[in-house]
Amino acid sequence: MISEEKVKIMTSLAQYEKKEGTGDLRINRYSCGDYVRMETMKVGVALVVALLLLTGIIVIFRMEDVISMMRKGTIAVPAILILICFEILFFCYVKSTRRRAEKRYNEAMVRIKAYERQLEKLLEVYEEEEKEDNSPKIDMDAEELADGKIIDL
């Protein structure tokens, strides 16, 4: 039998699974520390790749200046300046990524707990319906089933 309460619960479960559920269940596969480390590593690798690409592009476009600085021996100053700026940028991005990942993980856990409560509520509704079920049941012995007799209802 279809009940209004069952439909409401199932609708809210379906909406959650379709929207936030996919991301939340992906996050739920990890512990908090593992998820934060994974996100931090992704940002760290992306920043290193971005620094290398940006430095390479700048060196290619400013090749004359780079060669003249190498001849004069003054290339160390800009290189150190670039590395210091990168370290500051890296530290800031990693800190903000850690905070954001922790916040995202905690929010996902709250939504997953609510999802699990909804599932438990739906199970209770099903169990109540099963207890209230008054449909006729046929009790047969194993011998009667093995005989292959046709049972008239």
Side-chain angles (χ1 to χ4, degrees), residues 54-118:
L54 186 62
T55 304
I57 290 170
I58 290 172
V59 166
I60 289 172
F61 281 118
R62 307 285 297 195
M63 187 62 78
E64 286 183 25
D65 296 335
V66 171
I67 291 173
S68 70
M69 291 172 92
M70 287 174 65
R71 286 186 182 156
K72 295 177 188 174
T74 59
I75 193 75
V77 174
I80 291 172
L81 184 63
I82 288 172
L83 287 176
I84 290 172
C85 290
F86 175 72
E87 287 176 10
I88 292 169
L89 180 72
F90 188 83
F91 178 75
C92 292
Y93 265 92
V94 166
K95 277 292 196 188
S96 67
T97 299
R98 289 181 67 83
R99 284 191 203 120
R100 187 178 62 238
E102 287 173 356
K103 181 181 176 188
R104 192 179 296 163
Y105 185 86
N106 292 332
E107 289 172 351
M109 290 302 112
V110 168
R111 287 191 298 265
I112 286 174
K113 294 229 187 283
Y115 176 73
E116 288 173 351
R117 282 192 299 271
Q118 290 281 341

